[in-house]
Amino acid sequence: MNELTGFNTMDEKNNLPNFVWVAKYKDGSIIGQYNDQFIELSTDNLPDRDEIDVFTIFDIKTGKKILSIHFDEGQRLIYRRRVVLKTGFSTPKVYYLVGWQQTVNGQNIQSIAYIHEESGQIEIAGKFRDDHPIFKPVQSREWEIIV
Amino acid sequence: MVATVIINRLTGAAPTPTATPITSINTRANAYDTHSVADTTNPIQIPAAGSNYSYWVQTQLETTVAPSGTIDNLRWYTDGSNTLGTGVTCNVTKGQYADYVQATGTPGVTGTVLNVTNYPGIDDTPSDAFAKTSGSPYALLGSTTTTEKFGDIVIYQIVVGTTAVAGATGSETFTFMYDET
């Protein structure tokens, strides 16, 4: 199955963000950020999060895989699209936060990849950092345990 | 579609100020309550003593294309470096749209100073905008799942002292940051 289903033309791709995600489940099923009707799904609404096996970021214009996160038992998906919007600049800078968190012996550990959309550069960090311009914490959802 | 978010400048009378998109353009902080890109009328007069002020400038985010999830975790910051010029500073605070107060003052001379007395709804005493950096940004309240103006209004004011030099100040870029799911 083509994991970028529905994105067959450059015109269709040009109206979408540069990077999109696809979640592959342990049973082999796949849910993408956009369905065949270009209706977007938020990661907040992903079902059965504990059953996600691989979460992948694709460059939608090239179809190339940018990053895949393979989950071990107990690891939970963390995903955000972080936007930096400056006055006087029409094009924002976008970073994709993609990673996992896990509770081990009562402690939460995590690993987050920060993908810069424009350059494709990827940086990986552990705990969120309040004093870092990009590694800042997210506002957690009830299914996320953030440290 | 992912969300489309713009930055608006709010001017005019409460309770429904005019929202002018300024995402990709300049907006001037002059001594009157009007958005302009390059208008040099109504400059802030350099005082003989004390300080004069711009009319306070009020900015807020708006979604024109809704997210499929939620936009939250709003932050605001500067580059940390005041390049406005000698004797010129900028103070910032924030407040909620429901508490919006139109900027006032004497056109071409000075705006009314931004403080709790003159703007009762502000959350914090105005402070140096350049202390709000990417490493220590201003945390704003608010989130959205639809198309709307949302989040705290960021309110800033240029402060001109006696040592300021006549003419246009340097320009500054302010940054909003948010997360989307």
Side-chain angles (χ1 to χ4, degrees):
Chain A
M1 180 179 186
N2 178 3
E3 292 179 333
L4 288 185
T5 184
F7 309 132
N8 293 317
T9 70
M10 285 305 296
D11 283 342
E12 292 168 341
K13 292 175 185 176
N14 285 340
N15 291 323
L16 300 171
N18 291 339
F19 292 171
V20 296
W21 57 260
V22 173
K24 183 178 285 187
Y25 286 74
K26 295 172 185 174
D27 64 1
S29 62
I30 290 173
I31 296 179
Q33 183 172 352
Y34 292 89
N35 65 15
D36 290 345
Q37 288 75 48
F38 301 107
I39 295 173
E40 185 180 8
L41 178 71
S42 168
T43 52
D44 285 350
N45 297 319
L46 276 171
D48 303 318
R49 300 175 72 89
D50 292 340
E51 297 300 312
I52 297 173
D53 186 34
V54 184
F55 189 87
T56 301
I57 301 293
F58 286 91
D59 181 327
I60 199 168
K61 287 185 166 58
T62 65
K64 289 185 178 177
K65 198 178 290 188
I66 301 296
L67 178 79
S68 283
I69 304 291
H70 296 254
F71 294 92
D72 292 330
E73 194 67 33
Q75 291 179 339
R76 299 174 291 271
L77 168 68
I78 297 291
Y79 172 84
R80 296 291 189 280
R81 183 174 179 270
R82 178 158 287 173
V83 180
V84 179
L85 192 60
K86 293 180 179 290
T87 56
F89 292 82
S90 60
T91 304
K93 286 189 177 180
V94 179
Y95 299 84
Y96 295 83
L97 282 59
V98 190
W100 57 265
Q101 56 173 193
Q102 183 178 14
T103 304
V104 178
N105 296 326
Q107 297 288 322
N108 274 300
I109 58 173
Q110 65 184 47
S111 179
I112 308 292
Y114 299 81
I115 310 170
H116 183 209
E117 185 180 70
E118 185 178 9
S119 67
Q121 181 179 356
I122 301 174
E123 295 186 63
I124 296 177
K127 283 188 177 184
F128 292 118
R129 303 180 195 178
D130 276 321
D131 62 350
H132 192 280
I134 300 302
F135 299 169
K136 294 193 183 304
V138 302
Q139 288 189 350
S140 60
R141 306 292 189 262
E142 58 185 59
W143 54 81
E144 296 171 339
I145 302 174
I146 304 295
V147 290
Chain B
M1 293 290 193
V2 294
T4 298
V5 179
I6 63 173
I7 304 168
N8 285 324
R9 176 174 178 176
L10 306 178
T11 57
T16 52
T18 299
T20 304
I22 61 167
T23 313
S24 58
I25 58 175
N26 180 44
T27 189
R28 297 186 70 86
N30 291 347
Y32 70 150
D33 182 43
T34 300
H35 158 70
S36 75
V37 175
D39 184 7
T40 57
T41 64
N42 296 298
I44 307 161
Q45 200 171 85
I46 299 172
S51 299
N52 279 342
Y53 307 90
S54 71
Y55 279 45
W56 55 69
V57 177
Q58 309 194 60
T59 57
Q60 188 186 30
L61 297 178
E62 177 181 0
T63 39
T64 57
V65 175
S68 62
T70 301
I71 289 176
D72 63 10
N73 207 21
L74 310 183
R75 299 284 188 266
W76 182 96
Y77 57 89
T78 71
D79 63 7
S81 176
N82 179 357
T83 57
L84 294 170
T86 301
V88 182
T89 59
C90 180
N91 287 333
V92 68
T93 184
K94 62 186 177 74
Q96 297 183 24
Y97 186 85
D99 298 325
Y100 171 88
V101 175
Q102 181 178 14
T104 58
T106 305
V109 178
T110 181
T112 303
V113 64
L114 178 60
N115 58 28
V116 175
T117 300
N118 297 324
Y119 200 131
I122 58 176
D123 291 346
D124 306 307
T125 300
S127 61
D128 181 16
F130 300 102
K132 310 293 187 189
T133 63
S134 60
S136 181
Y138 212 177
L140 309 178
L141 295 179
S143 64
T144 187
T145 60
T146 186
T147 52
E148 61 177 345
K149 299 177 182 66
F150 71 100
D152 282 338
I153 299 174
V154 176
I155 312 157
Y156 61 87
Q157 183 174 56
I158 304 298
V159 183
V160 175
T162 59
T163 59
V165 176
T169 67
S171 62
E172 289 289 348
T173 299
F174 298 148
T175 301
F176 285 87
M177 186 165 72
Y178 63 84
D179 288 348
E180 179 181 354
T181 57

